[in-house]
Amino acid sequence: MHTLKEKLGARIKARRKELGLSQEALAELVNMDNPNLSNIERGKRFMTAETLERIAQALKTSERELFDFSEHEPEKYYRSDIQKYLDTSSEEDLKFFLDVMKSYFQHKK
């Protein structure tokens, strides 16, 4: 099990990489030295709320999104993702999804 610091650091690192930013570039954007950012990304150091706000802003995301560890809880992520599709589906789409699920579970037996 990972600690909160490790999970948050991993999210920051993943988001930084998604944006194609080097660690040095992000450190510069948030006015932090590179070793401190490295320690945050590795879960060795926590940060102040102000630093968290600057990092989220530099990563073009919200603080809340940085604390979304759903990739560490795949079932919760899948259910949430499926629910998003269901919430925006037409009645016709819902019927189709139901038919597909029924067929899947019948063949699975």
Side-chain angles (χ1 to χ4, degrees), residues 24-81:
E24 294 80 13
L26 179 58
E28 187 175 320
L29 285 171
V30 298
N31 195 28
M32 171 184 284
D33 62 31
N34 196 51
N36 279 332
L37 180 58
S38 174
N39 283 331
I40 288 170
E41 286 189 354
R42 291 182 294 122
K44 302 297 181 192
R45 178 177 181 270
F46 206 64
M47 68 205 94
T48 65
E50 291 82 12
T51 300
L52 178 62
E53 288 173 347
R54 289 195 317 265
I55 288 174
Q57 184 177 17
L59 295 176
K60 301 177 180 149
T61 191
S62 67
E63 295 86 359
R64 179 180 181 172
E65 191 69 27
L66 290 176
F67 282 94
D68 178 6
F69 307 125
S70 57
E71 71 270 8
H72 297 288
E73 301 169 353
E75 183 179 335
K76 181 178 174 183
Y77 171 77
Y78 298 145
R79 289 179 187 280
S80 172
D81 211 29

Side-chain angles (χ1 to χ4, degrees), residues 4 6 8 10 18 26 40 56 63 66-67 83 100-101 109:
L4 176 63
E6 291 169 335
L8 181 57
E18 284 174 16
L26 179 58
I40 288 170
E63 295 86 359
L66 290 176
F67 282 94
Q83 189 62 52
V100 169
M101 289 177 70
K109 291 179 182 180

Side-chain angles (χ1 to χ4, degrees), residues 97-109:
F97 295 150
L98 181 59
D99 290 344
V100 169
M101 289 177 70
K102 284 179 180 178
S103 176
Y104 169 78
F105 285 109
Q106 285 173 351
H107 290 346
K108 188 177 174 183
K109 291 179 182 180

